[in-house]
Amino acid sequence: MSAYVFEPRPVAVVPVEGESRGFPVRRILCVGRNYAAHRREMGGDDRDPPFFFAKPADAVVPPGQDPAYPPRTENLHYEMELVVALKGGGSDVPTEEALDLVYGYAVGVDLTRRDLQTASREKGQPWDSAKGFDDSAPISAIRRWDGPPPQGRIRLSVNGEVKQDASVADMIWNVPEIVSEASKLWRLEAGDLIFTGTPERVGALKRGDRVEGEVEGVGRVAFQVV
């Protein structure tokens, strides 16, 4: 007899480059406004501590699959991001120890129902419906990584036209700082993914658009909005 009243959903898994075993996703945390130009683009210009929001683990869209255009929006936006994959966890992790928790990095797109986000922000309501919907986190395979975090070019194109083009080094809060700050709010665990924020020039997508993104040295993500 099953221990459950119904069979649990399989865990979300992201492939790992060069591995037959996948990376099981426990949770997705995301950092908002972590590039100065994007922060100005969205109406701010400061260096407050990083703020976080979450997506459910099953929002992941692994390589080879295409996200569906979500309901209840007429303004779906792309946000290209470096993603940190954790192999360990803890609470109140010092910045100088934060990289010890990192398994590797991936390339992700934080899809956002911008019209719902704007309405929620104006009313002081949470962003869950704007950020945490089905298929809202397309991602590349994870690349295992030792040493300092990636610092190279981050770019995204839609239908072959470059829309975002910046450098990961331009992040306001770097990877160790982000991991450390997150660990002050949650107990981090192996399997957590952290989307680290997007550069400027976010914009809208429509059904049929082909999206391609890259972080230099990490990998590429590609999908079509269906």
Side-chain angles (χ1 to χ4, degrees), residues 56 112 117 173 219 221:
T112 302
Q117 183 191 32
W173 295 90
V221 62

Side-chain angles (χ1 to χ4, degrees), residues 12 77 124 146 163:
H77 275 209
D146 293 314
K163 299 292 188 179

Side-chain angles (χ1 to χ4, degrees), residues 116-209:
L116 299 190
Q117 183 191 32
T118 299
S120 296
R121 186 168 56 233
E122 290 175 350
K123 296 176 181 178
Q125 296 174 345
W127 292 0
D128 297 59
S129 62
K131 290 288 193 177
F133 53 90
D134 299 338
D135 292 357
S136 61
I139 195 170
S140 73
I142 295 168
R143 176 167 290 185
R144 296 188 65 176
W145 197 279
D146 293 314
Q151 297 289 294
R153 194 174 188 182
I154 179 171
R155 60 187 301 185
L156 177 142
S157 64
V158 179
N159 301 325
E161 181 181 352
V162 175
K163 299 292 188 179
Q164 293 182 280
D165 192 348
S167 172
V168 175
D170 293 337
M171 288 197 302
I172 298 170
W173 295 90
N174 62 32
V175 170
E177 291 171 330
I178 290 168
V179 173
S180 177
E181 288 296 319
S183 76
K184 297 173 184 177
L185 296 169
W186 299 273
R187 178 174 177 82
L188 301 178
E189 298 285 355
D192 289 347
L193 297 176
I194 304 178
F195 280 59
T196 59
T198 193
E200 71 275 17
R201 296 184 63 203
V202 300
L205 294 170
K206 61 183 184 299
R207 292 173 180 83
D209 280 347

